[in-house]
């Protein structure tokens, strides 16, 4: 499994690629380990269930090449005995097991949890492909586009921390050699390797092939998005006249009758949402009329107190009017951070109708680019 934390008492497997029949395989495993002669197994000791547990692991790791042959024989035997429902059930499980085994394009010699990460940079973006191997089986692939923020190494550091926050950290992360030269400042739990020969090099080459295919298909589309974002930033900067607008952070909050208020920090890098830098905060609930202003203060304090590079942000946008902008400025001053602040004034439909500019003037917005 990818999206879960590991446990010594649990064997994670999955997610299953599309069409690979998780349910039929689950039913087959239950049939093979929880039932005997059609009856649910009961009153067995701990060691018996450990053996059954290991049997499941062996089946899914495909270490025992005889199992599929045994299952095929069981299917034929059931058909010969006119147990057609059982034969059909075994056939379905067998079909999906074979498909799952075939999905392993390259058989890894060591049965470990391995992720393969390949990337390339292009203008203001990092394109990446991640392959997930579990027990030697390629179980999933993810293609990603990461806004290139403060620097390549800082962008990758933030990406890895966010990406593996809710995922199993593999035994090894196979990467290109140049990534080892970055000072990512990650914990020692990240085991990066960059193979030059052997099976691990083959899976890295496979990831790079997938990456190049993804890049060829997507980079022109994303370039068009970047062009639109650049036009939007130019339109915004007509009101601000700042030297650069690379990294912008927008602060907003939400609550219902001041119950469980939540603050968010939404980061834009080169006009594109940079989800790896998003933050969400639980705020201290207040019953005052000025609670919305206080929530801006709490969110900004939480965001920048945990941020290693506050000076790399070019603009803070507070969702609100003059009160919210004033509070944002005071909070930043308290934190000894000098970043320009503007506000967004919303109408009754929660659409932006005006800007609070750097001089605290409310400017009505007509520009559709914004």
């Amino acid at each position: 499994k990818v999206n879960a934390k590991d446990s010594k008492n649990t064997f994670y497997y999955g997610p299953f690629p599309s069409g690979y029949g998780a349910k039929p395989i689950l039913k087959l495993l239950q049939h093979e380990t929880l039932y005997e002669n059609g009856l649910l197994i009961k009153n067995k000791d701990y060691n018996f269930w450990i053996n059954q547990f290991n049997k499941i692991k062996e089946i899914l790791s495909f270490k025992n090449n005889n199992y599929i042959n045994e299952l095929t024989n069981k299917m034929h035997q059931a058909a010969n005995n006119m147990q057609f429902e059982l034969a059909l059930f075994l056939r379905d499980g067998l079909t999906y097991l074979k498909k799952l085994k075939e999905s392993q394009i390259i058989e890894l010699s060591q049965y470990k949890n391995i992720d393969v990460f390949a990337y390339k940079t292009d203008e203001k973006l990092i394109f990446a492909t991640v392959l997930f191997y579990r027990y030697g089986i390629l179980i999933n692939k993810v293609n990603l586009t990461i806004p290139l923020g403060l620097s390549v190494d800082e962008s990758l550091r933030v990406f890895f921390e966010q990406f593996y926050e809710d995922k199993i950290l593999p035994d090894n992360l196979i990467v290109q050699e140049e990534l080892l030269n970055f000072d990512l400042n990650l914990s020692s739990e990240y085991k990066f390797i960059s193979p030059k020969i052997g099976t691990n090099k083959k899976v890295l080459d496979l990831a790079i092939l997938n990456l190049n295919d993804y890049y060829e298909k997507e980079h022109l589309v994303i370039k068009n998005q970047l062009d639109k974002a650049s036009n939007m930033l130019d339109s915004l900067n007509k009101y601000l006249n700042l030297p650069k607008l690379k990294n912008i952070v927008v602060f907003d909050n939400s609550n219902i009758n001041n119950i469980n208020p939540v603050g968010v920090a939404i980061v834009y890098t080169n006009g594109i949402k940079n989800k790896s830098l998003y933050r969400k905060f639980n705020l201290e609930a207040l019953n005052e009329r000025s609670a919305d202003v206080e929530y801006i203060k709490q969110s900004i304090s939480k965001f920048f107190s945990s941020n290693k590079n506050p000076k790399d942000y070019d603009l803070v946008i507070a969702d609100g009017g003059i009160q919210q902008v004033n509070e944002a400025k005071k909070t930043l001053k308290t934190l000894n951070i000098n970043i320009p602040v503007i506000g967004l004034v919303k109408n009754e439909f929660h659409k932006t109708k005006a800007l609070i500019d750097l001089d605290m003037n409310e400017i009505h917005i007509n520009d559709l680019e914004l």
Side-chain angles (χ1 to χ4, degrees):
K1 191 172 182 178
V2 173
N3 294 316
K5 297 298 181 183
D6 206 355
S7 165
K8 65 179 181 179
N9 298 318
T10 307
F11 170 63
Y12 293 112
Y13 195 87
F16 285 77
S18 176
Y20 279 49
K23 288 185 179 179
I25 291 177
L26 175 61
K27 289 180 180 179
L28 175 66
L29 295 174
Q30 291 171 336
H31 176 270
E32 292 289 287
T33 57
L34 302 182
Y35 292 84
E36 190 173 35
N37 298 323
L39 299 176
L40 185 66
I41 299 173
K42 296 181 179 180
N43 302 322
K44 297 291 185 179
D45 62 16
Y46 177 79
N47 289 331
F48 172 84
W49 292 113
I50 287 293
N51 289 333
Q52 298 299 86
F53 178 72
N54 288 331
K55 181 179 179 180
I56 291 173
K57 291 173 66 175
E58 188 175 76
I59 291 171
L60 291 178
S61 66
F62 297 102
K63 290 182 180 180
N64 184 357
N65 292 323
N66 293 325
Y67 177 72
I68 288 181
N69 293 331
E70 292 172 4
L71 199 61
T72 303
N73 291 334
K74 286 182 181 180
M75 179 187 69
H76 291 314
Q77 185 178 355
N80 291 335
N81 293 336
M82 302 184 72
Q83 296 174 295
F84 299 118
E85 186 175 348
L86 175 60
L88 183 62
F89 169 77
L90 294 174
R91 187 202 67 181
D92 289 345
L94 185 62
T95 298
Y96 285 112
L97 269 182
K98 286 181 177 179
K99 284 185 178 181
L100 190 59
K101 186 177 181 181
E102 289 167 2
S103 73
Q104 180 189 356
I105 300 173
I106 297 174
E107 183 176 355
L108 300 177
S109 57
Q110 68 273 49
Y111 293 95
K112 291 183 176 181
N113 293 338
I114 293 174
D115 290 355
V116 189
F117 177 83
Y119 80 99
K120 67 189 302 180
T121 59
D122 178 22
E123 295 186 20
K124 302 172 182 178
L125 295 168
I126 299 174
F127 292 82
T129 292
V130 186
L131 305 182
F132 301 91
Y133 284 88
R134 297 296 179 264
Y135 287 85
I137 306 296
L138 176 62
I139 64 166
N140 202 11
K141 176 185 76 173
V142 176
N143 291 317
L144 302 154
T145 305
I146 308 163
L148 183 53
L150 314 177
S151 62
V152 174
D153 52 348
E154 178 66 12
S155 298
L156 289 175
R157 181 191 67 77
V158 172
F159 163 75
F160 282 119
E161 288 181 343
Q162 293 291 313
F163 189 71
Y164 285 105
E165 187 174 15
D166 60 348
K167 295 178 177 64
I168 295 173
L169 197 58
D171 299 306
N172 286 315
L173 261 163
I174 298 176
V175 298
Q176 294 134 297
E177 186 175 6
E178 60 263 30
L179 194 143
L180 299 181
N181 297 324
F182 289 131
D183 183 16
L184 297 179
N185 196 26
L186 294 168
S187 76
S188 59
E189 294 178 340
Y190 288 83
K191 306 295 184 184
F192 292 104
I193 60 172
S194 182
K196 292 182 170 57
I197 58 173
T199 303
N200 287 340
K201 179 63 166 64
K202 291 180 181 179
V203 295
L204 178 58
D205 291 342
L206 177 63
I208 293 172
L209 282 174
N210 277 271
L211 171 64
N212 290 335
D213 181 62
Y214 171 61
Y215 174 79
E216 289 301 319
K217 291 178 180 177
E218 297 295 329
H219 81 281
L220 292 178
V221 174
I222 295 173
K223 184 179 184 302
N224 184 51
Q225 294 174 352
L226 279 172
D227 289 341
K228 290 182 178 180
S230 179
N231 291 335
M232 181 271 293
L233 290 177
D234 290 341
S235 297
L236 174 62
N237 212 20
K238 287 191 300 185
Y239 301 101
L240 308 178
N241 196 29
L242 292 173
K244 66 172 182 172
L245 283 175
K246 183 174 183 178
N247 293 302
I248 299 172
V249 55
V250 181
F251 291 97
D252 195 3
N253 65 75
S254 64
N255 65 86
I256 300 176
N257 297 325
N258 278 334
I259 298 174
N260 298 325
V262 174
V264 292
I266 303 170
V267 177
Y268 291 81
T269 299
N270 297 314
I272 300 291
K273 287 184 177 181
N274 191 342
K275 294 184 179 180
S276 65
L277 295 176
Y278 278 23
R279 294 294 183 271
K280 183 178 178 180
F281 315 106
N282 293 320
L283 305 177
E284 181 183 350
L286 299 170
N287 294 319
E288 305 166 9
R289 291 182 62 187
S290 59
D292 193 59
V293 175
E294 174 65 22
Y295 294 152
I296 287 289
K297 174 183 177 180
Q298 290 185 36
S299 295
I300 291 176
S301 296
K302 287 175 180 287
F303 180 80
F304 284 109
S305 295
S306 62
N307 197 290
K308 296 179 180 179
N309 298 290
K311 66 180 184 300
D312 291 306
Y313 288 89
D314 305 305
L315 181 67
V316 166
I317 300 179
D319 184 51
I322 290 177
Q323 284 185 308
Q324 283 80 5
V325 172
N326 273 327
E327 192 63 35
K329 288 183 175 182
K330 289 179 185 177
T331 306
L332 290 171
K333 186 175 181 180
T334 301
L335 296 170
N336 198 28
I337 297 172
N338 183 24
I339 302 176
V341 181
I342 65 171
L344 297 179
V345 182
K346 304 293 181 62
N347 61 20
E348 63 271 23
F349 303 108
H350 207 66
K351 299 290 185 181
T352 301
K353 69 174 184 179
L355 282 178
I356 305 298
D357 70 6
L358 300 175
D359 297 319
M360 303 299 286
N361 299 311
E362 183 171 318
I363 302 174
H364 184 73
I365 295 176
N366 292 314
D367 198 330
L368 294 178
E369 290 288 343
L370 295 176

